[in-house]
């Protein structure tokens, strides 16, 4: 509605609008200086240019290996120099067949650490156990029951199911009420480090190591970040091999780029000892033996001489229990291979996986974990991986050798 101005009312004059100030010109950012390389980096760059890729790699491998605590290995200096020059840890090269070593049948530690690490495009898929468990569970593969995840200050019960937060007291109550045995392991970790066995004894939780037990302090004895899982009840065959651990098979699956199907390159049966309880980790003192891929027959066992209390020789029977090893046939080996290959096919973006597989009491192959850059020491203790033409071709296509 319009309004009429009264005669006595002075006309209203709009206040002048101040002109907008011109936008300030942003100050030019100072030119970023190129990052200065350290003296060591400049030396390595100059050596790479002058020596060429092959000689530089040999020099870098030698420097990288000799600076580690390998001087203490009880082997001759001449052998150490030969091993370092070829990119091997002395303690690994010393357990390999000398003739095969001279023929170049072994994947070096330098190649494993620096080249195999880049074969799979998504390493975090395997570095984080809970993530891999979620993926495998969605695809229907059996795994141990994950009871809880212990974080940095918080605990999640049933992390793959209801996923509810609880406290330390409630976690202890859950484990005590169950009364079973449990394994706690770091969510990110390898070589059995930080793995503890928990069980109930006289109405309290205890930590077991070998034949010894002591009262369990959950806050102190379980590392952050860890998974607490129900201890697997293994098949009677594997229980007879050794009652000290769940005895797993390390199965190496390879999927050569450009090929339609993955294949199993090697399988090694690990067998725990009293010293390694609750794990069957070979680097920590357990026994391992080769599995014939065609038949599932076990060869004689062998220990890692630098970490085991036993003599480095072939063991037809278990050194602790006397249980037969050599010549034993793995039950349903064809079924185990089929399940592992199905798991490899379900992860087409993972060309290189070392699966740890246990067999449940009902015969179900159960995936303990997968390793994206599996160690090669145990896989090669009986013969070199590169002696197999199919495995050598895989490594060649992937740029490892």
């Amino acid at each position: 509605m319009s309004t009429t101005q009264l005669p006595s009312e002075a006309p209203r004059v709009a206040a002048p609008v101040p002109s907008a100030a011109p936008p300030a010109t942003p100050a030019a950012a100072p030119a970023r200086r190129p990052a200065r390389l350290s003296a060591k980096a400049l030396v390595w760059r100059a050596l790479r240019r002058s020596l060429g890729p092959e000689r530089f790699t040999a020099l870098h491998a030698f420097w990288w290996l000799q600076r580690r605590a390998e001087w203490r290995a009880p082997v001759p200096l001449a052998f150490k120099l030969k091993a370092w020059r070829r990119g091997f840890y002395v303690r690994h090269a010393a357990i390999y067949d000398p003739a095969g070593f001279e023929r170049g049948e072994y994947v070096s530690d330098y190649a494993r650490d620096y080249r195999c690490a880049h074969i799979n495009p998504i390493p975090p898929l395997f570095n984080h156990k809970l993530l891999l468990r979620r993926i495998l569970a969605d695809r229907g593969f059996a795994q141990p029951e994950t009871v809880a995840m212990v974080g940095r200050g918080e605990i999640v019960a049933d992390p793959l199911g209801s996923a509810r937060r609880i406290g330390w007291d409630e976690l202890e109550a859950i484990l005590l009420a169950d009364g079973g045995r449990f394994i706690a392991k770091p969510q990110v970790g390898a070589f059995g480090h930080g793995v503890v066995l928990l069980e109930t004894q006289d109405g309290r939780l205890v930590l077991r190591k070998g034949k010894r037990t002591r009262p369990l302090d959950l806050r102190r004895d379980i590392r952050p970040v860890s998974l607490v899982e129900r201890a697997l009840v293994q098949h009677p065959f594997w229980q007879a091999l050794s009652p000290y651990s769940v005895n797993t098979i390390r199965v190496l699956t390879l999927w050569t780029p450009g090929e339609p199907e993955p294949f199993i390159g090697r399988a090694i049966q690990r067998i725990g000892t009293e010293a390694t309880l609750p794990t069957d980790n070979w680097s920590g003192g357990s026994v391992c033996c080769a599995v014939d891929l065609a038949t599932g027959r076990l060869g004689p066992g062998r220990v890692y001489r630098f970490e085991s209390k036993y003599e480095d020789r072939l063991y037809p029977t278990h050194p602790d229990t006397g249980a037969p090893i050599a010549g034993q046939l793995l039950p349903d080996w064809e079924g185990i291979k089929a399940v592992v290959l199905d798991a490899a096919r379900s992860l087409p973006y993972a060309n290189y996986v070392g699966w740890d597989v246990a067999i449940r009491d009902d015969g179900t192959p159960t995936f303990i974990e997968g390793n994206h850059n599996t160690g090669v020491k145990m896989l090669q203790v009986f013969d070199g991986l590169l002696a197999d033409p199919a495995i050598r071709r895989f490594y060649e296509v992937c740029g490892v050798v």
Side-chain angles (χ1 to χ4, degrees):
M1 185 176 75
S2 64
T3 59
T4 304
Q5 181 178 319
L6 297 176
S8 61
E9 186 178 7
R12 297 176 179 176
V13 179
V17 179
S19 59
T25 304
R32 178 177 294 179
R33 295 181 180 179
R36 297 183 62 181
L37 297 177
S38 66
K40 185 173 73 174
L42 290 171
V43 170
W44 283 121
R45 175 181 287 185
L47 287 171
R48 182 188 293 273
R49 289 174 177 171
S50 61
L51 296 176
E54 185 173 345
R55 290 181 178 178
F56 172 79
T57 297
L59 176 66
H60 186 240
F62 175 82
W63 172 84
W64 177 72
L65 288 168
Q66 63 82 27
R67 66 191 175 95
R68 305 175 77 92
E70 294 235 305
W71 290 107
R72 298 190 298 271
V75 297
L77 178 59
F79 182 84
K80 291 180 180 180
L81 295 175
K82 178 191 293 186
W84 290 336
R85 181 170 58 84
R86 299 183 183 185
F88 288 85
Y89 292 131
V90 171
R91 294 184 173 214
H92 296 178
I95 67 175
Y96 296 151
D97 172 57
F101 187 75
E102 292 299 327
R103 291 193 297 267
E105 295 177 350
Y106 292 87
V107 176
S108 73
D109 297 294
Y110 184 85
R112 183 262 171 179
D113 288 356
Y114 277 89
R115 296 174 183 165
C116 294
H118 304 292
I119 292 177
N120 291 325
I122 316 176
L125 175 65
F126 297 92
N127 292 341
H128 298 276
K129 295 179 175 65
L130 192 65
L131 174 60
L132 182 61
R133 287 192 175 188
R134 175 75 276 168
I135 294 173
L136 291 177
D138 289 344
R139 287 157 171 74
F141 295 104
Q143 296 167 92
E145 177 191 352
T146 306
V147 177
M149 185 184 77
V150 177
R152 302 184 187 279
E154 66 281 332
I155 303 169
V156 179
D158 190 18
L160 297 178
S162 59
R164 59 188 183 89
R165 290 196 174 190
I166 62 173
W168 287 104
D169 292 341
E170 188 172 354
L171 174 61
E172 183 173 4
I174 290 173
L175 301 180
L176 282 172
D178 183 279
R181 307 176 87 197
F182 300 90
I183 298 289
K185 61 174 67 173
Q187 212 273 129
V188 178
F191 304 113
H193 296 160
V195 178
V196 294
L197 173 62
L198 322 176
E199 58 185 44
T200 303
Q201 192 176 91
D202 299 327
R204 63 177 183 172
L205 291 173
V206 298
L207 183 149
R208 175 173 291 281
K209 179 65 177 177
K211 295 180 179 179
R212 302 184 304 275
T213 63
R214 64 169 175 81
L216 175 71
D217 184 335
L218 285 173
R219 292 172 176 83
R220 185 188 67 187
D221 293 325
I222 298 182
R223 294 184 181 182
V225 173
S226 289
L227 301 181
V228 179
E229 64 183 37
R230 186 177 302 281
L232 194 79
V233 179
Q234 64 187 339
H235 188 281
F237 173 87
W238 281 269
Q239 181 72 11
L241 288 177
S242 170
Y244 300 114
S245 67
V246 172
N247 304 300
T248 60
I249 313 168
R250 171 64 60 88
V251 185
L252 178 65
T253 60
L254 310 167
W255 199 333
T256 307
E259 295 295 326
E261 286 285 321
F263 67 96
I264 293 176
R266 187 144 298 179
I268 299 289
Q269 175 69 61
R270 290 184 293 203
I271 306 171
T273 62
E274 183 178 343
T276 64
L277 189 154
T279 75
D280 61 356
N281 185 265
W282 190 65
S283 295
S286 75
V287 179
C288 78
C289 51
V291 180
D292 183 276
L293 294 182
T295 65
R297 188 178 299 278
L298 299 181
R302 192 171 171 188
V303 298
Y304 182 41
R305 79 186 209 200
F306 295 106
E307 296 294 340
S308 175
K309 66 179 182 180
Y310 304 107
E311 178 188 356
D312 183 18
R313 61 177 178 83
L314 296 179
Y315 286 88
T317 60
H318 193 285
D320 285 334
T321 66
I325 296 175
Q328 298 296 298
L329 283 171
L330 298 184
D332 192 26
W333 174 236
E334 288 301 319
I336 296 171
K337 289 193 295 183
V339 171
V340 173
L341 284 173
D342 283 345
R345 292 186 193 98
S346 75
L347 301 174
Y349 32 79
N351 296 331
Y352 184 60
V353 185
W355 302 98
D356 288 340
V357 183
I359 311 303
R360 218 161 52 192
D361 54 349
D362 63 358
T364 302
T366 304
F367 290 91
I368 304 300
E369 63 185 45
N371 303 272
H372 90 95
N373 187 19
T374 177
V376 296
K377 172 176 82 263
M378 181 182 68
L379 293 172
Q380 300 187 115
V381 68
F382 297 102
D383 61 335
L385 286 166
L386 300 181
D388 185 301
I391 299 177
R392 175 180 284 274
R393 180 174 179 274
F394 170 83
Y395 282 121
E396 288 175 344
V397 172
C398 292
V400 173
V401 297

